[in-house]
């Protein structure tokens, strides 16, 4: 299974990227970094620069048809930049249109609000997004992980780095159950 990790060129919370990446890689999945710019992604540990990670493709050149699932890591700056990039927003929206599973943690649902795919869904996020999500038509709950099976795509959301074990378990379960041939 090929999984896209969509991130801006900087601002992603490193642990919200690396822990899901490692977990999916260990199950035999093939993750790839899709970003708004070529080169590398500058990750952060909260407000401090952390590692850099090579970009496999830009959102403008990547085809959602080449992927089976999407992961949206958080960080404050990352989804804020993604939601201002039309190609990134379209890339994220396409997974919902195709009925492919999506996982988003922390501030990442900002990108989903811009893609207009949260209406009628129940999800969680970093608490400061609760009003934004409600205004976009979602039901926000304060839980470590929420799996929303609203059609056409299953959405897994989580609040923060402390919830990574639950997020990874929910994401892995949903991605494993997804049958692209169905």
């Amino acid at each position: 299974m090929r999984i896209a990790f969509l991130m801006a060129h900087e601002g992603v919370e490193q642990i919200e990227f690396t822990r899901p990446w490692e977990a999916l890689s260990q199950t035999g999945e093939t993750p790839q970094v899709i970003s708004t710019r070529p080169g590398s992604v500058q990750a952060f540990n909260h407000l401090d620069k952390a590692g850099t990670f090579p970009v496999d493709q830009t959102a403008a050149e990547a085809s959602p048809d080449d992927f089976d699932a999407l992961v949206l890591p958080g960080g404050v700056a990352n989804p804020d930049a993604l939601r201002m990039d039309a190609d990134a927003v379209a890339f994220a929206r396409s997974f919902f249109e195709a009925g492919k599973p999506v996982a988003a943690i922390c501030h990442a649902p900002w990108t989903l609000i811009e893609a207009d795919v949260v209406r009628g869904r129940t999800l969680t996020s970093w608490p400061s997004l609760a009003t934004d999500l409600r205004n976009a038509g979602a039901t926000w709950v304060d839980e470590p992980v929420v799996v929303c099976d609203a059609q056409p795509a299953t959405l897994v959301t989580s609040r923060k780095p402390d919830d990574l074990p639950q997020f990874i378990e929910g994401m892995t379960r949903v991605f494993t159950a997804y049958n692209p041939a169905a």
Side-chain angles (χ1 to χ4, degrees):
M1 176 179 258
R2 289 188 62 198
I3 300 169
F5 275 71
L6 179 61
M7 299 178 285
H9 72 282
E10 72 174 359
V12 69
E13 185 70 27
Q14 183 163 311
I15 196 168
E16 293 176 359
F17 162 58
T18 57
R19 291 273 308 277
W21 178 283
E22 291 162 1
L24 290 169
S25 295
Q26 289 174 0
T27 64
E29 311 304 347
T30 306
Q32 290 200 340
V33 173
I34 308 301
S35 187
T36 53
R37 296 183 190 170
S40 62
V41 169
Q42 174 64 63
F44 281 75
N45 290 325
H46 192 53
L47 299 175
D48 299 323
K49 282 187 177 182
T52 59
F53 301 90
V55 171
D56 293 302
Q57 291 182 300
T58 65
E61 64 191 13
S63 173
D65 295 337
D66 293 338
F67 298 95
D68 300 302
L70 174 65
V71 178
L72 295 163
V76 177
N78 175 54
D80 194 47
L82 285 177
R83 66 184 177 160
M84 298 301 294
D85 185 285
D87 293 322
V89 172
F91 188 79
R93 183 183 307 112
S94 69
F95 283 81
F96 287 85
E97 292 168 346
K100 297 177 181 181
V102 175
I105 186 167
C106 201
H107 288 77
W110 265 340
T111 305
L112 302 179
I113 291 169
E114 192 66 31
D116 195 24
V117 295
V118 299
R119 187 172 316 284
R121 293 180 173 275
T122 299
L123 62 155
T124 194
S125 67
W126 185 256
S128 67
L129 275 65
T131 300
D132 296 339
L133 287 161
R134 288 183 187 117
N135 287 342
T139 299
W140 184 86
V141 295
D142 187 13
E143 297 177 13
V145 69
V146 174
V147 176
C148 180
D149 288 319
Q151 294 302 312
T154 300
L155 174 62
V156 180
T157 54
S158 198
R159 301 173 300 188
K160 57 189 174 184
D162 289 347
D163 297 335
L164 277 164
Q166 297 95 323
F167 178 68
I168 290 168
E169 188 280 325
M171 173 189 67
T172 303
R173 181 172 34 86
V174 167
F175 288 7
T176 302
Y178 175 66
N179 181 358

